[in-house]
């Protein structure tokens, strides 16, 4: 490897890429979050006339339905992103999400047209899910390929920090909308139409994101891989752009490891962001205003923690941070749910903090580690399949499963046990994964911050166990068997 083989990051282009990917991710999760924060209101709007408990399950099923199609989005949009580029697919996902969310805000209520309105609601949630299937996997792949290897954890973690800002913004918009319309038009104002405002706000926000994404550059690692004609049969599999079948064939160990990590991450995070407001309102009788304010406070705390944890992982490694996250869930969740039962405002805030802390450690790792599991030629497809399968089966169904477990068992701690089970699986996966911090992405040359750093890497590559030239496309194309995953 020569110094000239390294990719030196253009700082201006990196900032542009991060902002373009991040603002879309922010809006994407605002769109998802407002449905969770309005779940109780949406139950009255779209299931009027049903038993209240059944109606809530129907509403939460709408949240789960969007996650059922996420793997389909990942399976189609991921390989497409490996073929035509990350930027083009990210542009499409943002336009689709903004359109679907806006249309939800225009739907008539069940009181106006009947319960059949649940069908178009579910269809629009499915469009959201399809879009999301290509969103985070594409954004994390894109930013990871743009980031210097030494700070990849930090730069990719900003995406999840943006996601939490999106959730927090969604909660704040719901709270402010509720306060404003109730003050102006009375207690029934949210049910009468105030609930539409957060959904309709997705249109101007989406237009801003679409314009920004139309101007971001393509990932330099993707462009470099495209120049090498990686579809030729004599290349090692990691340099070949695989279809869905061969992604499973070549990378099933990484898929299993990734699914275990995302299952723990997703159940933990969606419990906090999408089910906890419903749990606190329906099981404990907490006022909606209190749960919204508490959620915003805790999510903002996560926004601060995520980049700090990610920076720490760039220094000491991803595996130690995952151990902290999994053990944190095993130790803190039961005390957190006990605190929720105490019924005081202080105990509510402390409980949410205990749930949010290990979740922040998971979120700090997700973008970097998912991208580090797969090689450049098939990264978008690999991340799309892995992330969306796990988040759909386990994360997105968390609100529904959590509510079902409470109703079936009568045990208010049941959701905590559910999350803890997946944390145990993640702990096993961490023991099986390789360390990836400060190493070049598989199938790519090192990405560095300066020419001087490139020269240092090239000069010390023989003694640096982080450098494996057999996983890089250099001057000569590697032959079959030159490397192993």
């Amino acid at each position: 490897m020569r110094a000239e083989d390294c990719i030196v990051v253009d700082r201006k282009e990196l900032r542009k890429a991060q902002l373009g990917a991040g603002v879309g991710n922010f809006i994407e999760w605002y769109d998802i979050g407002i449905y969770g924060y309005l779940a109780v209101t949406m139950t009255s709007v779209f299931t009027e006339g049903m038993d209240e408990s059944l109606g809530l399950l129907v509403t939460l099923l709408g949240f789960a339905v969007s996650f059922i199609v996420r793997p389909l989005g990942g399976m189609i949009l991921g390989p497409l992103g490996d073929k035509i580029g990350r930027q083009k697919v990210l542009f499409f996902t943002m336009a689709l999400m903004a359109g679907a969310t806006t249309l939800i805000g225009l739907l008539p209520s069940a009181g106006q047209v009947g319960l059949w309105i649940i069908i178009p609601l579910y269809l629009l949630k499915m469009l959201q899910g399809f879009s999301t299937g290509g969103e985070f996997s594409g954004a994390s792949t894109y930013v990871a390929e743009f980031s210097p290897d030494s700070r990849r954890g930090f730069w990719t973690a900003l995406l999840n920090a943006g996601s939490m800002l999106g959730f927090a913004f969604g909660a704040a918009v719901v709270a402010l909308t509720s306060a404003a319309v109730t003050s102006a038009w009375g207690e029934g104002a949210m049910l009468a139409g105030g609930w539409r405002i957060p959904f309709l706000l997705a249109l101007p926000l989406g237009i801003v994101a679409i314009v920004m994404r139309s101007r971001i550059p393509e990932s330099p690692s993707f462009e470099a891989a495209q120049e090498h004609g990686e579809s030729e049969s004599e290349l090692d599999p990691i340099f070949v752009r695989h279809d869905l079948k061969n992604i499973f064939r070549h990378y099933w160990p990484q898929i299993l490891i990734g699914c275990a990590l995302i299952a723990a991450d997703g159940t933990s995070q969606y419990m906090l962001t999408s089910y906890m407001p419903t749990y606190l309102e329906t099981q404990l009788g907490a006022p909606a205003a209190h749960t919204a304010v508490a959620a915003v406070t805790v999510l903002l705390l996560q926004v601060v923690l995520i980049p700090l944890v990610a920076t720490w992982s760039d220094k000491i490694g991803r595996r130690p941070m995952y151990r902290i996250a999994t053990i944190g869930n095993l130790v803190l969740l039961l005390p957190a749910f006990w605190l929720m039962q105490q019924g005081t405002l202080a105990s509510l805030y402390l409980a949410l903090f205990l749930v949010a802390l290990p979740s922040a450690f998971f979120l700090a790792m997700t973008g970097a580690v998912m991208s580090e599991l797969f090689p450049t030629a098939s990264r978008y497809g690999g991340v799309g399949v892995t992330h969306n399968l796990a988040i759909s089966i386990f994360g997105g169904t968390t609100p529904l499963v959590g509510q079902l477990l409470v109703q079936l068992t009568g045990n208010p701690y049941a959701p905590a046990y559910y999350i803890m089970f997946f944390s145990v699986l993640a702990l096993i996966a961490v023991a099986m994964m390789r360390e990836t911090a400060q190493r070049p992405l598989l199938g790519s040359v090192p990405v560095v911050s300066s020419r001087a750093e490139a020269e240092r890497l090239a000069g010390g590559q023989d003694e640096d166990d982080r450098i494996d030239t057999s996983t890089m496309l250099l001057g000569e194309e590697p032959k079959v068997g030159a490397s192993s995953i």
Side-chain angles (χ1 to χ4, degrees), residues 60-370:
L60 293 177
L61 181 60
F63 189 81
V65 160
S66 69
F67 283 82
I68 291 173
V69 298
R70 276 189 66 162
L72 181 62
M75 291 174 186
I76 293 175
L77 298 176
L80 184 63
D82 286 326
K83 182 177 182 179
I84 69 173
R86 287 58 164 128
Q87 187 266 353
K88 294 182 179 67
V89 175
L90 287 174
F91 179 90
F92 170 75
T93 60
M94 190 67 259
L96 184 60
M97 173 59 88
T101 306
T102 302
L103 288 174
I104 289 176
L106 296 174
L107 289 175
S109 68
Q112 293 171 315
V113 299
L115 289 173
W116 69 267
I117 196 60
I118 294 169
I119 296 174
L121 174 64
Y122 281 5
L123 290 175
L124 289 172
K125 292 299 293 179
M126 290 172 71
L127 283 180
Q128 282 188 327
F130 184 85
S131 166
T132 308
E135 171 59 29
F136 181 77
S137 53
S140 59
T141 293
Y142 178 74
V143 173
E145 292 175 349
F146 240 109
S147 304
D149 298 333
S150 61
R151 300 203 71 200
R152 187 165 53 242
F154 168 77
W155 285 106
T156 53
L158 292 180
L159 290 172
N160 268 334
S163 298
M164 295 306 98
L165 274 177
F167 271 120
F169 184 60
V173 168
V174 169
L176 290 173
T177 300
S178 178
V181 301
T182 300
S183 175
W185 295 293
E187 289 297 324
M190 281 297 285
L191 292 176
W195 65 271
R196 300 180 187 277
I197 295 173
F199 288 97
L200 297 178
L201 187 59
L203 182 60
L205 292 175
I207 290 173
V208 171
I210 289 168
V211 170
M212 294 184 68
R213 284 200 167 171
S214 68
R215 298 175 179 175
I216 60 176
E218 188 51 85
S219 142
S221 294
F222 171 79
E223 291 181 329
Q226 291 294 90
E227 292 173 2
H228 279 264
E230 65 274 16
S231 61
E232 297 180 14
S233 60
E234 72 270 15
L235 294 179
D236 186 283
I238 71 168
F239 303 109
V240 176
R241 186 177 64 235
H242 293 296
D243 58 18
L244 191 61
K245 176 182 176 182
N246 282 316
I247 286 174
F248 279 102
R249 175 189 170 195
H250 290 288
Y251 306 124
W252 63 267
Q254 290 94 323
I255 291 173
L256 289 178
I257 289 171
C259 282
L261 297 175
I262 294 300
D265 176 357
T267 53
S268 181
Q269 188 58 29
Y270 283 102
M271 181 67 68
L272 176 68
T273 56
S274 299
Y275 178 58
M276 203 53 69
T278 301
Y279 177 87
L280 292 171
E281 290 178 39
T282 59
Q283 299 302 314
L284 306 179
H290 285 176
T291 59
V293 172
V296 170
T297 303
V298 171
L299 289 172
L300 291 177
L301 176 64
Q302 282 196 319
V303 170
V304 175
L305 285 174
I306 287 169
L308 294 177
V309 172
T311 300
W312 192 11
S313 81
D314 281 331
K315 295 178 180 178
I316 71 170
R318 317 292 189 217
R319 297 176 72 198
M321 308 310 286
Y322 268 128
R323 292 190 186 100
I324 294 174
T326 53
I327 294 172
N329 267 345
L330 296 175
V331 171
L332 298 177
L333 283 180
L334 288 179
F337 274 72
W338 178 83
L339 283 167
M340 290 178 201
Q341 315 302 315
Q342 306 312 302
T344 68
L345 194 58
S347 65
L348 169 64
Y349 275 86
L350 182 56
L352 290 178
F353 171 75
L354 293 181
V355 175
L357 189 59
S359 176
F361 277 74
F362 277 118
L363 289 169
M365 301 293 101
T366 302
V369 171
M370 290 301 106

